[in-house]
Amino acid sequence: MKKPKRATAAKAKKGRKTSGSRTKTVPKRAAAPRRASAAKDASKDASKDSSKAIIRGLRTKLTQALRRVAELEAAADTDFLLDIPNRRGFERELQRAIAYMKRYRASGALIVLDVDRLKPINDSFGHAAGDEVLKAIANTLTRQIRASDVVGRLGGDEFALLLWNLSETDAKAKAVIFEQAIDELSFVFRGQQVTAGASAGVALLGAQSEAARALEEADAAMYVRKAQRRHEPRIRLVRS
């Protein structure tokens, strides 16, 4: 009977060892990697969100920079006094128009217009008076053209107009209309009524045109027209 008791004791001891081994914190060791993995994933998500925020910020800055560049380019092509294209801007529009005409066999006309009596107005009443005359002329020309046409200031008292789909006869008739509209303008400076005047020259545009050559032709025609108008008074001053 003693031997079975020993066996039972041995089994009990073995059972205690087995039970003891089962109480080890193995699950606790397994939970640590899961927490580390979750923390790592959270860190990755935060890093991605931060990167996306940086990218969004850079895109916003890029959009603002491009918009500012466009504004500066537009300002560089615009006459600050008259708010119409300056020589640089007008020549760019003229080159684009001729490129279009070459591709699609379109046509048009270029008119160069010079204010006849601006210098006497500046000399008699000052440059502020001359600026008022230029503004009135720019507004008059703008009202006389279509939305597809372009009016610009080449410099000083010289304007240019790009007109689409006009024959030579129509272009010359349009030049006369511009002259008459400016001749009819009237101003009062220091109690005196003043009129200006304008001389216009025409050059036709088409598939074979070149911008520089067209400007030269229209400018030469303008000086011929100016010579024809020299019999008119340089400046007319009438007491109001």
Side-chain angles (χ1 to χ4, degrees), residues 82-85 134-152 159-161 163 174 178 181-182:
L82 306 180
D83 197 28
I84 60 176
L134 290 173
K135 290 177 182 178
I137 291 174
N139 291 333
T140 299
L141 295 175
T142 301
R143 289 195 301 268
Q144 295 283 340
I145 64 174
R146 298 161 295 184
S148 59
D149 299 332
V150 181
V151 57
F159 293 82
L161 299 104
L163 309 175
K174 196 69 176 177
F178 292 146
I182 295 172

Side-chain angles (χ1 to χ4, degrees), residues 186-207:
S186 180
F187 308 89
V188 176
F189 302 121
R190 299 176 192 168
Q192 294 178 308
Q193 184 176 336
V194 179
T195 60
S199 300
V202 178
L204 297 180
L205 299 174

